[in-house]
Amino acid sequence: MTKYVGYVGTYTKQDSKGVYQFTLDTDNKELKDVKLAAELGNPTYVTVSDDQKNLYAVTKEGEDGGVTAFSIQEETGELTKLNTQTAAGSPPCHVSVDHDKNTVVTANYHTTNIVSYLTNEDGSLNPAASVIEHEGTGPHERQEKPHMHYAGFTPDEKYVIAIDLGSDRVITYAADQGNLTQVQVFNTAPGSGPRHITFHPNQKYAYVMTELSSEVLVLHYDEKDGSFTQHQAIKTIPENFKETNDGSAIHISSDGQFVYAGNRGHNSIASYKVDQDTGQLTFVEWTSTEGNWPRDFVQDPSEEFLIATNQKSNTMTLFERDKNTGKLSLVQSDVHVPEPVCVKFIGDQN
């Protein structure tokens, strides 16, 4: 019997108390044992280190925001708080850690900055090494200032990529011992509102989800200088869907065969087949997330399952994933988790 431990980052505006833990039983195809793992303010996004020994969660403490480091108990997955680094202002909305667990980076939607932290041997956090403020606007009413929505590492970890929904930019920073230096800027179409990025395992292609225009942008990535060029833009919602839709998360299967993109409003996950020669996408299907406002989703470590988090209906939904076709089949819905935003597994990095 295979069981995987997962964690859910949440808003704590209503009933949620922090980071939640659950179990995926792959034999019985069931999500179960949902419980509070760590009491924390607005830990909307979490990430797990490659060695599975630490979890990092964005954090709100009073009027301050930052990131909290936890150790993970190997047998049970229980979390023990190590320390927190905060600064004045709203909490970040995204956090990433590099493969060797040397550097943690966060992106802040409200305060316009990305921040890097060097870690200690136990995974705890040192004070901020770099704080990069951004400037700029876009044509959409929600683009009155920079809104940093993502900060993470390129596959070779030469660079940190920051995505600014507010000024339609994908920004490349050289990363050196926590020091970030801007080296490239890719401008998306005005008003598109880029949100998250995922890289093809061959490191030649990247896929950006736009929140405002509900598209996946297919980019060629040049690992020599960290630059991007666009080759395709493909919609994530039907042409006849005229209600509000906010694009959410984007993830790729580890074999590089399928890309998945989330839709809040249409309340679906769009699936795409990847052309391995060009990186371009062909639409496969839409799958309802059986809930309201799917903020994120993730594949389990076996990639035979996919779990979506429906923020406004306080539920997780479990799908079985066909590795040959990329299609999703509903297995379990209405698994209660308060105000869920993102979900990560021990061992999962997609």
Side-chain angles (χ1 to χ4, degrees):
M1 180 180 293
T2 302
K3 294 183 179 180
Y4 295 116
V5 173
Y7 302 94
V8 186
T10 71
Y11 277 107
T12 55
K13 297 177 179 179
Q14 298 169 354
D15 298 328
S16 175
K17 301 297 183 186
V19 179
Y20 287 77
Q21 180 181 332
F22 67 92
T23 300
L24 167 62
D25 182 334
T26 61
D27 288 357
N28 294 314
K29 302 180 182 180
E30 180 184 17
L31 300 176
K32 60 184 184 180
D33 302 331
V34 178
K35 61 182 180 180
L36 182 65
E39 196 160 337
L40 207 62
N42 266 18
T44 55
Y45 210 87
V46 301
T47 194
V48 174
S49 61
D50 274 13
D51 64 8
Q52 304 181 28
K53 293 181 178 180
N54 294 94
L55 179 141
Y56 299 93
V58 303
T59 306
K60 178 179 173 60
E61 289 191 349
E63 298 302 311
D64 296 344
V67 60
T68 296
F70 295 89
S71 63
I72 300 173
Q73 209 281 334
E74 186 175 357
E75 285 80 18
T76 65
E78 289 183 7
L79 301 181
T80 301
K81 181 178 175 179
L82 296 174
N83 73 334
T84 300
Q85 297 290 350
T86 61
S90 300
C93 64
H94 191 274
V95 60
S96 300
V97 60
D98 63 0
H99 295 314
D100 294 331
K101 203 172 62 183
N102 294 322
T103 307
V104 170
V105 292
T106 63
N108 198 305
Y109 184 89
H110 295 286
T111 66
T112 81
N113 65 33
I114 62 168
V115 181
S116 67
Y117 306 86
L118 295 178
T119 62
N120 299 303
E121 192 170 341
D122 66 351
S124 60
L125 298 158
N126 288 296
S130 284
V131 180
I132 308 293
E133 306 284 349
H134 297 83
E135 297 180 353
T137 60
H140 193 278
E141 62 182 4
R142 289 180 51 200
Q143 294 180 309
E144 79 291 353
K145 68 175 186 178
H147 290 300
M148 311 310 297
H149 221 309
Y150 173 97
F153 298 88
T154 55
D156 57 15
E157 298 196 337
K158 285 172 57 179
Y159 303 106
V160 166
I161 305 301
I163 299 190
D164 181 6
L165 183 149
S167 66
D168 299 311
R169 294 185 301 165
V170 177
I171 308 165
T172 304
Y173 290 91
D176 181 20
Q177 294 297 305
N179 295 312
L180 304 178
T181 305
Q182 182 176 314
V183 293
Q184 298 285 349
V185 176
F186 171 75
N187 294 292
T188 65
S192 58
R195 175 187 171 91
H196 277 195
I197 190 171
T198 190
F199 283 84
H200 193 285
N202 68 14
Q203 305 186 25
K204 296 178 182 178
Y205 312 118
Y207 302 90
V208 170
M209 182 68 180
T210 67
E211 179 166 329
L212 302 180
S213 64
S214 300
E215 294 173 300
V216 177
L217 310 181
V218 180
L219 309 182
H220 179 266
Y221 169 62
D222 189 334
E223 60 185 14
K224 297 186 187 69
D225 63 4
S227 63
F228 295 93
T229 51
Q230 184 171 319
H231 289 264
Q232 185 187 18
I234 186 168
K235 294 293 285 188
T236 66
I237 53 175
E239 286 186 19
N240 61 1
F241 186 79
K242 302 304 181 186
E243 300 169 47
T244 298
N245 187 77
D246 289 351
S248 60
I250 187 164
H251 299 289
I252 190 169
S253 56
S254 63
D255 59 8
Q257 295 291 328
F258 299 98
V259 165
Y260 299 92
N263 291 302
R264 294 170 293 174
H266 191 248
N267 292 338
S268 67
I269 294 172
S271 306
Y272 304 90
K273 175 71 173 173
V274 180
D275 185 311
Q276 299 304 303
D277 294 324
T278 66
Q280 295 200 6
L281 302 180
T282 301
F283 174 74
V284 175
E285 66 172 357
W286 287 288
T287 305
S288 169
T289 61
E290 306 295 324
N292 190 8
W293 218 245
R295 188 74 181 234
D296 204 348
F297 59 89
V298 75
Q299 297 167 88
D300 79 306
S302 73
E303 299 193 8
E304 293 176 359
F305 298 92
L306 184 145
I307 294 90
T309 51
N310 297 298
Q311 179 190 337
K312 292 184 178 180
S313 54
N314 302 303
T315 58
M316 290 194 301
T317 304
L318 176 65
F319 299 94
E320 198 161 14
R321 190 180 82 90
D322 188 316
K323 292 185 178 182
N324 294 316
T325 66
K327 292 186 175 184
L328 305 176
S329 303
L330 177 64
V331 175
Q332 184 185 15
S333 60
D334 300 330
V335 180
H336 178 74
V337 182
E339 304 171 81
V341 176
C342 87
V343 59
K344 290 286 188 290
F345 281 96
I346 294 179
D348 167 73
Q349 292 299 317
N350 279 329

